[in-house]
């Protein structure tokens, strides 16, 4: 059994608003208009169209009340916005890192990437920015600690499970149905 907490809200939050792209606008231009410099750390959710992203979104259907695929295949923590937004750092645990995995164990699977990876609106049609009430400066130490505490939450193990499922290795089951969250 999957243990979920469902919201009892009957009305959508006013804090979340739809913000369509303008004609010809890529994801970085959209983010430039909506990221702002508000308080709190920013999380970016993206939903991709590639086979891997589709498999991740479809896997989440098992825990949705409507059994539809999720809109989101990936989440990342944004660093301080760079002058060129494409160079903004992102902390993520990607199942398809652009430069490969290297040896992920010493960092518990955490990778530092660049926001420019998610520029293409055809590859990543769903984009969402969430602001947290946490000062980004207060996340540095917990993020460093997480990278050294695989005994608490082994994100490398989660990554391997999700890759095996997404690639269809040996009949690997949906990790969510085995009580393993997404890394």
């Amino acid at each position: 059994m999957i243990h979920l907490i469902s919201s009892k809200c009957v009305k959508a939050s006013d804090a979340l608003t739809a913000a369509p792209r303008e004609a010809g606008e890529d994801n970085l231009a959209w983010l430039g208009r909506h990221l702002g410099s508000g308080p709190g750390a920013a999380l970016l959710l993206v939903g991709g169209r590639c086979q891997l992203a589709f498999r991740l979104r479809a896997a989440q259907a098992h825990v949705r009340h409507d059994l539809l695929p999720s809109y989101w295949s990936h989440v990342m923590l944004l660093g301080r916005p760079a002058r060129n937004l494409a160079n903004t750092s992102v902390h993520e645990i990607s199942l398809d890192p652009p430069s490969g995995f290297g040896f992920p164990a010493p960092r518990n699977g955490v990778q530092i990437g660049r926001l420019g990876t998610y520029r293409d609106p055809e590859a990543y049609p769903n984009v969402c920015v969430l602001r947290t009430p946490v000062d980004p400066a207060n996340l540095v130490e917990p993020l460093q600690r997480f990278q050294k505490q695989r005994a608490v939450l082994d994100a490398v193990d989660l990554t391997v499970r999700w890759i095996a499922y997404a690639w269809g290795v040996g009949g690997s089951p949906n990790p969510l149905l085995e009580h393993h969250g997404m890394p």
Side-chain angles (χ1 to χ4, degrees):
M1 175 167 49
I2 300 173
H3 300 284
L4 298 173
I5 299 173
S6 297
S7 173
K8 295 178 180 159
C9 292
V10 294
K11 180 182 168 234
S13 171
D14 294 333
L16 296 174
T17 58
R21 282 184 202 85
E22 294 178 356
E25 187 174 48
D26 69 20
N27 290 336
L28 294 182
W30 182 90
L31 282 165
R33 289 192 304 116
H34 297 285
L35 186 57
S37 59
L43 295 173
L44 178 67
L45 283 71
V46 296
R49 281 198 172 139
C50 71
Q51 285 179 307
L52 178 65
F54 173 78
R55 296 274 294 159
L56 297 176
R57 292 186 303 105
Q60 294 173 68
H62 290 111
V63 296
R64 289 177 50 111
H65 74 282
D66 55 11
L67 295 178
L68 292 173
S70 171
Y71 292 102
W72 316 112
S73 54
H74 193 66
V75 63
M76 65 206 81
L77 177 65
L78 295 182
R80 168 184 245 124
R83 188 178 319 239
N84 176 352
L85 202 52
N87 293 329
T88 299
S89 65
V90 296
H91 287 83
E92 58 187 334
I93 300 178
S94 174
L95 298 185
D96 189 22
S99 299
F101 286 99
F103 186 61
R107 295 179 55 113
N108 201 10
V110 175
Q111 305 139 13
I112 299 174
R114 295 284 172 242
L115 189 55
T117 302
Y118 303 97
R119 175 187 301 266
D120 185 355
E122 292 297 318
Y124 302 98
N126 299 326
V127 182
C128 176
V129 176
L130 298 174
R131 285 274 178 198
T132 69
V134 178
D135 182 340
N138 292 339
L139 294 176
V140 173
E141 191 272 331
L143 184 58
Q144 290 172 343
R145 193 172 61 240
F146 172 78
Q147 292 178 55
K148 297 175 183 173
Q149 293 185 327
R150 284 184 60 199
V152 175
L153 177 63
D154 190 345
V156 175
D157 175 55
L158 292 175
T159 301
V160 170
R161 289 173 188 274
W162 278 96
I163 288 173
Y165 167 75
W167 290 359
V169 175
S172 297
N174 178 342
L176 288 177
L177 299 179
E178 301 288 316
H179 310 285
H180 301 288
M182 297 180 83

